[in-house]
Structure formats: C-alpha cells, structure tokens
Amino acid sequence: MRPAALDWSAANCTIARAMEILGERWTLVVLREVFNGVGRFDDMRVRTGIPRQVLTNRLAMLVERGVLRREPYREPGSRLRHEYRLTDKGLDLWPVLVAVLGWGDRYLADPDGSPLTVAHRGCAAEVGVALRCAEGHEVTDPRDVVPRPGPGARRRA
C-alpha cells in the first residue's frame, strides 16, 4: 500500500526547519541550562563541558534565530558581559524539552533514575507532556493519529 504522504512535498516541512535550529546535540543542552536558570557563558561551559567555540556558536545561533536574547550585566570591577535569557519563542520550546526528558527518563535513565524532574510550581506534581486533539481528546496511542496535508502543503507533480 502506497503511503498518502507521498502525494505531497515535504520541501517546506516545518519539522525540518525546526531541526535546522534544534537538531544539533549541544543546542538542546544549552536550552536545558537556560531553562534551569543557568544563563551565563562561563557557568554553562563549566557545568556542561561544551567546548568554548561550540558554546559560542550555539548561543550566537540561538540569539540570531530569536530563541534567546542577550542581557548585559557587570560584576563589580569586571568588564561588561552578557547572560542569555529565553524569548517567547524560546519559552515555547518548553514542552519539547519536557517531552525529550520524559523519553530519556523512560529509555535512558540510570538505574537510580533521572537526575532532573520537573514539577508544577502550584502543587508540586510532576509535569509531563500530553497530546490532545482540537476537540480536547487525549491522544495516547500514535496509531490514533493520521498525518495529512496542511494548508501549506504542495502536491507532488
């Protein structure tokens, strides 16, 4: 049986476009750190072990793409520096990181469990990602979802 997805082009796929920003390993690690409140270059570098030039490049790309913004600060007696904060575009990535964390916890955690959990500030319950359709139904089985062309789809010739 021929998949229906072969009838439309994936050339303008937004998943591919998103992965141009997020698809490199260190990018999600940088975002994890900023979501955890670690926004200063030296703190990130020491905490993650990301090579200096790689971290410089990732931060510059995330600022250029509007995911992070630079905020100036100056420690007494030191030169002006910048820390990195999430923009609205960056904050919208939170469910993505929670989903990756959940997947990692399920399949890749050490026997003692994950070193990180996320909890709802209001009640302290653990947070996870749930899929819902536009009618509000929870979707728990990927087989219950059907891909179909969106408004920007282009039919293949």
Side-chain angles (χ1 to χ4, degrees), residues 1 3 15 18 20 46-48 50 54 60 73 80-82 88 97-98 110-111 117 124 134 141 146 152:
M1 179 181 210
I15 292 174
E20 287 176 8
V46 168
R47 185 168 148 86
T48 64
I50 300 173
V54 173
Y73 74 93
L80 181 71
R81 295 178 175 249
H82 292 91
D88 288 342
L97 267 69
V98 172
D110 290 343
T117 62
D141 187 340
V146 59

Side-chain angles (χ1 to χ4, degrees), residues 3-153:
L6 292 175
D7 292 338
W8 68 87
S9 171
N12 62 340
C13 175
T14 55
I15 292 174
R17 289 176 182 171
M19 294 313 293
E20 287 176 8
I21 298 170
L22 304 175
E24 197 280 327
R25 169 190 177 198
W26 291 118
T27 301
L28 289 181
V29 173
V30 168
L31 290 172
R32 176 197 69 198
E33 292 306 305
V34 178
F35 272 109
N36 286 335
V38 179
R40 295 183 177 183
F41 183 93
D42 288 334
D43 293 338
M44 265 188 251
R45 192 179 56 73
V46 168
R47 185 168 148 86
T48 64
I50 300 173
R52 179 176 292 280
Q53 191 59 52
V54 173
L55 181 55
T56 298
N57 293 345
R58 293 307 165 270
L59 289 167
M61 181 272 297
L62 289 168
V63 168
E64 178 184 316
R65 298 293 193 114
V67 175
L68 297 177
R69 71 179 191 282
R70 292 170 35 140
E71 290 288 326
Y73 74 93
R74 184 188 310 263
E75 296 287 341
S78 295
R79 66 181 173 86
L80 181 71
R81 295 178 175 249
H82 292 91
E83 66 182 2
Y84 296 87
R85 299 209 181 135
L86 294 156
T87 62
D88 288 342
K89 188 176 185 178
L91 286 167
D92 282 347
L93 287 168
W94 180 238
V96 174
L97 267 69
V98 172
V100 171
L101 173 64
W103 186 87
D105 287 353
R106 182 171 180 171
Y107 296 107
L108 306 171
D110 290 343
D112 292 340
S114 178
L116 174 69
T117 62
V118 290
H120 181 220
R121 190 182 307 270
C123 70
E126 196 165 324
V127 172
V129 174
L131 297 178
R132 298 192 189 293
C133 73
E135 294 293 323
H137 306 111
E138 188 166 350
V139 180
T140 58
D141 187 340
R143 292 171 198 88
D144 291 338
V145 177
V146 59
R148 60 182 188 200

